[in-house]
Amino acid sequence: MNPLLDHLNAPQLAAVTLPPVHALILAGAGSGKTRVLTTRIAWLISTGQVAPPGILAVTFTNKAAREMQTRLAGMLPINIRGMWIGTFHGLCNRLLRAHHRDAGLPQLFQILDSADQQSSVKRLLKSLNVDDEKFPPRELCHFINAQKEQGLRAAAVEAWDDWARKRVELYQAYEAQCQREGVVDFAELLLRSYELLERNEPLRRHYQERFRHVLVDEFQDTNKLQYRWLKLLAGGGANLFCVGDDDQSIYAFRGADVGNMADFEREFKVTNLIRLEQNYRSHGNILDAANAIIKNNPSRLGKNLWTEAGSGEPIRIYESYSDGDEARWIVEEVKALQRDGHTRAEIALLYRSNAQSRALEHALFNAGLPYRVYGGLRFFERAEIKHALAYLRLIANSDDDTAFARVVNFPARGIGARSLENLQDAAKAAGSSLHAAIPRVGGAGGVKLAGFAQLIVSLRDAAHLPLPELVDHVVELSGLHSHYQNEKEGQERLANLDELINAAASFVAEEGTPDPDGEITGQYGNDLSSFLAHASLEAGEHQAGEGDDALQLMTVHSAKGLEFNMVFISGLEDGLFPHENSLLEDKGLEEERRLMYVAVTRARQRLYLSFAQTRMLHGQTRYNLPSRFLDEVPGELVKWLTPRAGKGGFAVPSAPTYSGGTPRRSEPSSGSGFRIGQSVMHAKFGLGVIVNAEGGGTDARVQVNFGNAGMKWLALSVAKLEAA
């Protein structure tokens, strides 16, 4: 037997040794897809079915491309560098460099990264005297890139009103500017490459005849244009070997279209569909949970992960009273794992959205545990948080030049570089701060600077407000909220700003001192300077250095492709995970379920799932239902770390519970035996959580969050409501 085929299981062997035909390989999480791809390439070359230049292998990340090249170099005695292995963007760049004249580009054309593209759009708007508040550069970049990823030039984009027509005009002007300057953005690389091959038949035929085998990694993440590009190259009879997992398609927001897999199977009449279901990563209970969750998605090609590693430990589920309690519990579990000999680097803390990291970071900071935020910034280092803190710093001290420079023109208020230079000169001449020098600057720039100074005065007038309300007020009055609300992907930044309000509320609760009337004041309660110092300390401490043993914090999206011995998935509540935006549409919920599947399959040995009865949102306590995904995990696979009652796979507590520390004050009762935070059952609306109560006796009524059925006010004298 060929030594290349050693250590392959039966489905892997079948995939690697397929005859030259179109094939779709459904590769489950941890099933060895990279091994199959690289061995397939090595097999084709070593058996003489194709020469190295006849291979085109497409990946989604440079890291994956390098790994493939490294593995091939260890399998074959050939020069790997000559082979076409790379990302879509990398391969399109290579094609355009080789044929720059045919593509209408200068030989040394430059590539704009996302920051460069945004700067280019800003220059364009300025040159055309277009209001960048009405057409924010970041949002305009998203619009342009989205059109290109659909294969649409400006002339082909439909516009139904004046605003949409203006965006199309700006897209057209941007195209002309890029062509004039000899630059291309990332989306342009693929579109220009596709257009080149489509219109130039001799060139297209050359590459169709050259690449006899086209292999694609992570096929479920391809967008419409990428799939069209692949079809174009395979149109001359090449064999398409596509490896992917429709159950791990989680990038619809980037344009990924999981439907490409079914389209490929139909359009290319694929008869070779091979499932790689043996998992080499996780224990059986983890895989059984993942299988049980994902089977609830109806439109999938279908597979069932299994392992020879045994069942392993049960999945641990923990219900906490609040998000803060949840974070403290996770810290205690991490400490216990360390005492058992596990390193911090083996442990991952996953969450659905970036804003959730704040409570976890706070608990880790207090415990002195070093951590690293993977694929993102620590909470207090995120741009929107630093902007809000800069406004707060100016309230505390208007002479803070660093804070002043950060937000004097953010959000944009027409204060240009020339005005700032004049201000700096005036401040230097007077030996004063930038803020103090504003009256010394004349002209239109001086008027706009004076307007900013007045904004700071208005913000300072609200300094008497309780700290969370002050933060909320600053976010609104500064224009940060409306700025991010107008961004296409601004919802995550708004969620982080909401979390900053929660951070202020938590700071007051933990550090404040109640006065005789119960109001929290004193040394810390409403002391803005103390909160700013607290934020600075949390931003600067416990940042793990490169190579240090540190906990890994990340969103589930960032975790794709990674694996850890111990995994915590926190915040498993309806509205959070699955996200509330997904609950209104089937496809959105299906993608959230795929995201949960990805999260679960990151764990090798032990998996923790946790949720909270209450969670702070915009400084207010919100009562949530447990995530429906918890109920999709078979009961025999789990071990509850907190008492559970009722039916189904999730806890339905009869009253708020608290684990560890000082017992919490009971939530107010409705006066009828029910309590806010209590889970209840209704014959028509199902399971819900009481979130409000009013009245008494025969007039008593409660407000209940029934999840999909919505919020309902129920009269207790009539409603047949039972404790769950």
Side-chain angles (χ1 to χ4, degrees):
M1 189 175 184
N2 190 317
L4 286 173
L5 307 180
D6 291 346
H7 311 299
L8 295 179
N9 63 36
Q12 289 174 339
L13 180 64
V16 166
T17 57
L18 276 173
V21 292
H22 300 307
L24 178 59
I25 313 300
L26 283 182
S31 63
K33 70 177 178 62
T34 305
R35 173 189 292 184
V36 167
L37 268 169
T38 51
T39 308
R40 170 70 172 173
I41 294 171
W43 166 258
L44 289 171
I45 294 172
S46 67
T47 55
Q49 296 181 60
V50 65
I55 293 283
L56 177 72
V58 190
T59 69
F60 265 82
T61 66
N62 289 316
K63 178 184 175 184
R66 286 193 296 270
E67 182 180 357
M68 192 176 293
Q69 290 167 344
T70 300
R71 291 198 188 193
L72 282 169
M75 293 179 175
L76 297 169
I78 60 172
N79 182 7
I80 301 299
R81 290 187 176 276
M83 298 175 65
W84 282 54
I85 299 175
T87 64
F88 278 102
H89 292 126
L91 294 172
C92 287
N93 175 55
R94 185 170 178 175
L95 182 70
L96 293 174
R97 296 283 176 194
H99 307 283
H100 62 90
R101 288 192 184 87
D102 293 322
L105 291 169
Q107 183 175 5
L108 300 177
F109 67 84
Q110 298 300 304
I111 299 172
L112 302 176
D113 62 20
S114 56
D116 293 333
Q117 184 187 22
Q118 200 164 325
S119 296
S120 179
V121 167
K122 284 179 181 177
R123 283 193 293 106
L124 175 73
L125 295 176
K126 188 174 182 180
S127 70
L128 297 175
N129 293 316
V130 173
D131 184 356
D132 62 2
E133 292 190 6
K134 188 173 182 181
F135 296 94
R138 183 184 175 91
E139 193 277 334
L140 190 55
C141 287
H142 283 302
F143 167 74
I144 291 170
N145 293 339
Q147 306 315 307
K148 290 186 178 185
E149 287 167 3
Q150 291 295 319
L152 299 175
R153 289 295 182 191
V157 178
E158 294 183 352
W160 303 103
D161 55 34
D162 290 342
W163 180 74
R165 278 189 286 274
K166 186 63 177 178
R167 287 210 304 181
V168 172
E169 286 177 22
L170 292 171
Y171 176 15
Q172 199 157 23
Y174 169 76
E175 285 186 297
Q177 176 177 287
C178 288
Q179 187 65 32
R180 190 167 58 248
E181 296 175 359
V183 297
V184 297
D185 54 49
F186 281 129
E188 182 71 19
L189 284 171
L190 187 66
L191 181 54
R192 185 76 64 113
S193 173
Y194 175 81
E195 290 172 339
L196 171 64
L197 292 172
E198 185 182 43
R199 71 169 180 266
N200 191 322
E201 185 182 354
L203 192 65
R204 180 174 70 250
R205 193 163 55 247
H206 164 76
Y207 282 105
Q208 286 175 339
E209 291 173 357
R210 172 178 177 166
F211 297 128
R212 305 311 300 159
H213 290 269
V214 178
L215 301 94
V216 189
D217 189 16
E218 303 285 11
F219 185 58
Q220 78 279 353
D221 292 335
T222 53
N223 61 33
K224 287 292 186 187
L225 184 59
Q226 288 165 341
Y227 181 43
R228 286 166 60 188
W229 186 81
L230 290 167
K231 288 197 291 184
L232 205 58
L233 283 169
N239 300 294
L240 267 174
F241 185 90
C242 299
V243 181
D245 183 1
D246 58 329
D247 291 334
Q248 294 190 75
S249 180
I250 59 173
Y251 296 120
F253 66 95
R254 293 183 189 168
D257 188 346
V258 67
N260 287 345
M261 299 186 79
D263 289 347
F264 168 59
E265 189 179 11
R266 183 185 69 257
E267 293 170 7
F268 284 81
K269 298 180 174 56
V270 175
T271 56
N272 294 281
L273 193 154
I274 297 176
R275 292 173 170 82
L276 305 183
E277 298 173 302
Q278 183 174 357
N279 178 282
Y280 294 92
R281 174 189 300 160
S282 307
H283 285 150
N285 283 340
I286 294 169
L287 298 180
D288 289 346
N291 290 332
I293 291 168
I294 201 65
K295 77 177 183 182
N296 292 286
N297 272 3
S299 52
R300 54 190 292 260
L301 295 171
K303 63 185 179 312
N304 204 55
L305 297 178
W306 62 276
T307 181
E308 292 180 341
S311 297
E313 302 179 26
I315 295 163
R316 291 159 168 83
I317 303 183
Y318 183 84
E319 176 187 17
S320 64
Y321 172 74
S322 69
D323 48 353
D325 294 335
E326 178 187 46
R328 287 187 286 274
W329 167 75
I330 289 174
V331 165
E332 291 305 314
E333 284 295 317
V334 167
K335 288 179 178 177
L337 290 171
Q338 283 187 269
R339 289 193 294 272
D340 290 342
H342 298 284
T343 62
R344 288 186 289 267
E346 298 174 359
I347 305 169
L349 278 53
L350 309 185
Y351 34 83
R352 172 62 180 84
S353 65
N354 269 310
Q356 289 173 253
S357 78
R358 203 277 311 168
L360 293 170
E361 290 187 55
H362 180 59
L364 293 170
F365 171 82
N366 287 341
L369 289 173
Y371 64 91
R372 183 179 296 108
V373 177
Y374 183 94
L377 294 171
R378 296 154 64 89
F379 181 78
F380 284 109
E381 294 171 351
R382 293 166 191 164
E384 60 276 16
I385 300 302
K386 297 189 81 166
H387 290 327
L389 291 174
Y391 280 107
L392 291 167
R393 284 165 58 182
L394 288 174
I395 292 175
N397 174 18
S398 59
D399 293 330
D400 185 335
D401 281 358
T402 302
F404 184 96
R406 183 177 190 91
V407 294
V408 64
N409 196 41
F410 192 92
R413 48 181 61 92
I415 300 173
R418 179 63 59 85
S419 296
L420 290 176
E421 287 174 14
N422 292 339
L423 179 62
Q424 289 165 348
D425 291 342
K428 186 175 181 180
S432 70
S433 68
L434 294 173
H435 181 270
I438 286 177
R440 297 172 175 268
V441 180
V447 172
K448 290 176 180 176
L449 285 165
F452 177 70
Q454 185 54 48
L455 170 63
I456 301 304
V457 170
S458 300
L459 294 176
R460 189 176 291 114
D461 287 343
H464 65 280
L465 291 172
L467 188 58
E469 292 180 34
L470 175 61
V471 175
D472 191 7
H473 181 74
V474 165
V475 169
E476 288 290 339
L477 196 61
S478 66
L480 288 174
H481 187 275
S482 58
H483 171 80
Y484 290 121
Q485 200 169 36
N486 291 328
E487 281 197 352
K488 181 180 178 183
E489 295 183 359
Q491 290 307 307
E492 186 169 300
R493 295 185 185 274
L494 289 174
N496 285 333
L497 289 172
D498 280 349
E499 190 58 33
L500 182 63
I501 300 168
N502 296 343
S506 297
F507 177 78
V508 170
E510 293 177 12
E511 305 292 347
T513 306
D515 65 13
D517 296 323
E519 182 181 0
I520 297 177
T521 56
Q523 182 181 1
Y524 296 105
N526 285 334
D527 188 337
L528 176 58
S529 296
S530 295
F531 176 64
L532 292 171
H534 159 81
S536 297
L537 288 170
E538 288 214 5
E541 293 292 325
H542 300 298
Q543 174 63 46
E546 205 61 41
D548 290 352
D549 183 27
L551 291 165
Q552 308 296 306
L553 272 65
M554 66 195 77
T555 64
V556 182
H557 281 102
S558 297
K560 187 172 180 293
L562 304 176
E563 55 188 73
F564 304 91
N565 288 346
M566 315 288 163
V567 169
F568 291 80
I569 307 174
S570 62
L572 282 166
E573 299 134 37
D574 266 14
L576 191 59
F577 197 2
H579 194 275
E580 58 189 354
N581 293 346
S582 73
L583 299 179
L584 301 177
E585 51 178 285
D586 290 341
K587 286 191 175 180
L589 185 57
E590 286 183 25
E591 175 133 344
E592 288 290 300
R593 189 172 281 112
R594 292 195 292 268
L595 196 58
M596 181 63 179
Y597 176 83
V598 168
V600 168
T601 54
R602 299 311 94 198
R604 296 189 192 107
Q605 299 170 9
R606 189 181 293 183
L607 176 64
Y608 295 86
L609 309 177
S610 64
F611 63 98
Q613 294 177 6
T614 66
R615 191 170 295 274
M616 294 283 283
L617 180 68
H618 207 71
Q620 301 294 318
T621 300
R622 186 170 76 174
Y623 296 86
N624 297 320
L625 290 171
S627 171
R628 65 197 64 201
F629 298 150
L630 289 168
D631 204 27
E632 294 174 357
V633 179
E636 64 270 17
L637 301 178
V638 307
K639 174 184 179 182
W640 283 85
L641 303 181
T642 43
R644 61 180 294 217
K647 300 175 181 178
F650 56 75
V652 282
S654 58
T657 57
Y658 177 67
S659 177
T662 305
R664 297 270 175 160
R665 204 170 49 245
S666 293
E667 290 287 341
S669 169
S670 67
S672 58
F674 291 107
R675 193 172 297 280
I676 293 176
Q678 183 177 358
S679 294
V680 292
M681 184 65 71
H682 187 277
K684 179 178 179 181
F685 304 124
L687 182 70
V689 176
I690 297 176
V691 299
N692 202 356
E694 63 183 32
T698 57
D699 294 327
R701 65 179 193 151
V702 292
Q703 187 181 31
V704 185
N705 179 359
F706 286 107
N708 279 350
M711 301 282 276
K712 310 287 183 185
W713 276 103
L714 301 175
L716 291 176
S717 60
V718 178
K720 294 180 179 179
L721 206 60
E722 299 178 355

